[in-house]
Amino acid sequence: MAEDLTSEQLQHLDAWWRAANFLAVGMIYLQDNPLLAEPLRPEHIKNRLLGHWGSSPGQAFIWAHANRLIRERDLDMIYLSGPGHGAPGVLAPTYLDGSYSEIYPNKSQDAAGMGRFLKQFSFPGQIGSHCTPETPGSIHEGGELGYVLSHACGAVFDNPSLIALACVGDGEAETGPLATSWHINKFLNPMSDGAVLPVLHLNGYKIANPTLLARIPKEELASLMRGYGWEPLFVEGSEPMAMHAAMAAAMDGAADRIVAIQAEARRSSDPTRVSRPVWPMIVLRSPKGWTGPAALGDKKLENFWRAHQVPLPNPKGDPEQLHMLEAWLKSYRPWELFDDQGRLRPELQALSPTGRRRMGSNPHANGGLLRRKLRLPAIERYAVALNAPGQVEHENTAPLGELLRDAIELNPDSVRVFGPDETASNRLQAIYERSKKVWMEELLPEDAGVNGAGGSELSRSGRVVEMLSEHTLVGMMEGYVLTGRHGFFHTYEAFAHVIASMFNQHAKWLESCIHHAPWRAPISAWNCLISSTVWRQDHNGFTHQDPGFIDLAGNKSGEVVRVYLPADANCLLAVAEEALLETNVCNIIVSDKQSHLQYLNLAQARAHVAKGIGLWSWASNDDCGTEPDEPDLVMACAGDVPTKETLAAVEILRREIPSLKIRVLNVVKLFSLTTPNEHPHGLSDRDFDSLFTTDRPVIFNFHGYPWLIHRLTYHRTNHPNFHVRGYKEKGNINTPLELAMNNQIDRFNLVIDVIDRVPRLGSRAAHVKERMKEAILANRAYAHLHGMDADDVTNWRWSAGRAPAHDGGLLV
């Protein structure tokens, strides 16, 4: 315990910390002479100085004290680095505890290995300045600010013995995602979850400005943290030995409080009786660039923003700075820390935990090692029964909710569903039959109502996490997945952009794992269902109409990104069956929640998803004779509403111009449109040409922005004949058909497109074209008069080109 620490033990703590600081400075500056065995010369200095010193000593300080806590209490603990580009404060400790050298043997714990370890930092072809996947013990890169607490929370969900020590940078604390994520304590159940121990690291400055939380009065900061539901323990100062004593006391106090909270909760066998505790957190106020040079000329360095990155910018060319750097490095007295061979002295080696208890070697930070394969029930039980295509409607996402419900039952401690207050809205409410929403705050009688009629679906032990912060939810899911479990996130399409940068960072993390850190075991997929889509946001208007999230996926490596556009419920089930079991990928699944026409039975849907692009023979008529004909055109579609409108257009064409040979293609795997060398879903040129032809017009009705299809197909043989319809930022409070007509993805505009694109039709189809124009005008007028679409449109069913049951009418 802290009060029992002797002066010698505190001195050893300080020596270990000095060793970490020495290595952190060496990483930024040195390419040779790692132990200062000879006077420092310009050639020992890197030609390009990159890195961030400012937060490194504070982070190493936290790590040193965590080591003591882990050793003395046999704790299961991981460390998450929130400050941006603070890798030296993490890399140095993992080198000192031996974790780094075990993974990278050429970075051995001797003078030669230390030299290679220091030189590689921010060096071309080597490692970067934040906690990338190459960093042992890391599940959080820190380069993108705001997610350290949500990642930590996800890591401890269903990990009752784990403590996630989360260092929050005070610059990071100014971000919206971090400010919101202080609320993670409302979702942590001390009975079944682990604990997050936040350390708010107030070093006072960002790149060129003071930080807000470092400048407000201490009482105000304490009130802010207490208002969020945390009890702050303050460690403040700059004198090392006094700070070591204070930090040891704070760490012991926090650990004691965590143990007491969990013990009290776990004495009860009734999870409903557990309430939210007040968890401890630490506020560490220490100087920016602590222990670094105080000033350069008349410019203040330590405890000022100039210490953020490289405090001495030119020691290679300025003899004075070279002398200052040498003095700085020698201030850590490396000869006391390392022997002549460059090995950490035994009494300091003993300060690190051993084996898997080292934070650099904890298996939770390489979650694939702990991952158990997801158990999925047979999807046949959820399939929508069909007698014929396009005859019945069903909510596409509802069967997926049933599948997720039963997946939770089969994987009771390793599956969670995350969504911003929209689980029922997105028609996934079947999940509540197995698991409610986790809620550690006050429960009111009306939440349950009489016999559960309240409908709030709240529970202390729920496995659904809902909060109106997409950032926090996705951060939780990422922490959950990165530590070896399975997560599923869903959101409204227009607001998926909120987490666009998180998707980008996770995709980059996965790609780095594959290429640069193969020692990391594969983790479960990052799954995102995008629902409440653009074409059914006619009632919410223009602000809710944006299908552009999938465009981001086209910018990422095909190795790690998948996009699915299932046209109906059975296709969505088949997609889920494939996507949920993948590893090291990000899955984006676009499926609207409303009732839609159903086209394929389950066997057909499975085959369709396996192929990625399906030729729907039942909707085509280019293979009706004894010999197959070349089609006059190809009608392709991707997405539920574009598929319906395409089929409606095909029906009109087959009725009005029966001699026209039409091939209907449906795309469910978006990246099947590109080539295999670009994406594993990609079709070969031969298969693509076989489906889309090499010279016939292709009318492609697309769910998203039309130029994405052109991006994916520009190098295909027939790309010049591709004519893509999609969302064009034309929307308002419209009826569904009116919204489609505004963007020209509707049946009538598609028919006009065909007439304009098929050369042989010419003026022969002038009358049909006129009727389509009149239908557009008539249907728009009907919508503006009645506030809804005509029954002929709303209740349209596929009839394979048979004559309509009425003569005239709005549908034509």
Side-chain angles (χ1 to χ4, degrees), residues 81-84 140 144-149 167-176 178-179 206:
S81 171
H140 176 85
E144 183 191 18
L145 302 177
Y147 307 110
V148 68
L149 288 180
C167 179
V168 181
D170 53 353
E172 176 186 34
E174 297 177 9
T175 64
L178 196 285
K206 305 184 286 285

Side-chain angles (χ1 to χ4, degrees), residues 14-224:
D14 185 67
W16 194 96
W17 178 51
R18 283 190 284 120
N21 289 339
F22 174 81
L23 292 174
V25 179
M27 277 183 249
I28 296 173
Y29 288 98
L30 298 183
Q31 63 179 356
D32 200 358
N33 195 16
L35 287 169
L36 303 183
E38 55 182 302
L40 198 62
R41 298 195 302 271
E43 57 265 32
H44 299 149
I45 309 302
K46 294 177 181 178
N47 292 310
R48 189 170 63 150
L49 300 179
L50 300 168
H52 293 67
W53 161 247
S55 75
S56 295
Q59 293 202 74
F61 183 81
I62 298 167
W63 194 293
H65 284 268
N67 277 348
R68 180 189 68 83
L69 213 61
I70 294 168
R71 275 193 346 269
E72 292 183 356
R73 298 171 181 249
D74 191 31
L75 296 180
D76 193 7
M77 182 180 282
I78 60 174
Y79 180 86
L80 293 89
S81 171
H85 300 274
V90 174
L91 289 165
T94 63
Y95 179 79
L96 292 175
D97 74 16
S99 299
Y100 205 93
S101 300
E102 288 177 11
I103 293 174
Y104 304 105
N106 68 328
K107 309 303 188 298
S108 50
Q109 292 184 297
D110 53 30
M114 183 189 295
R116 290 187 286 268
F117 174 75
L118 299 181
K119 182 178 180 180
Q120 70 170 347
F121 179 78
S122 284
F123 204 83
Q126 302 294 316
I127 63 171
S129 62
H130 33 102
C131 297
T132 60
E134 295 94 325
T135 305
S138 173
I139 65 165
H140 176 85
E141 188 162 299
E144 183 191 18
L145 302 177
Y147 307 110
V148 68
L149 288 180
S150 55
H151 281 165
C153 178
V156 303
F157 275 147
D158 306 311
N159 261 334
S161 67
L162 184 65
I163 297 176
L165 181 62
C167 179
V168 181
D170 53 353
E172 176 186 34
E174 297 177 9
T175 64
L178 196 285
T180 306
S181 64
W182 288 111
H183 288 298
I184 60 170
N185 51 14
K186 282 76 172 179
F187 302 95
L188 290 172
N189 187 325
M191 177 182 284
S192 55
D193 298 325
V196 175
L197 177 54
V199 179
L200 175 59
H201 185 203
L202 296 180
N203 60 33
Y205 295 91
K206 305 184 286 285
I207 294 176
N209 282 290
T211 57
L212 296 173
L213 295 187
R215 292 286 180 98
I216 66 175
K218 179 178 177 178
E219 297 76 14
E220 187 177 327
L221 177 60
S223 295
L224 178 65

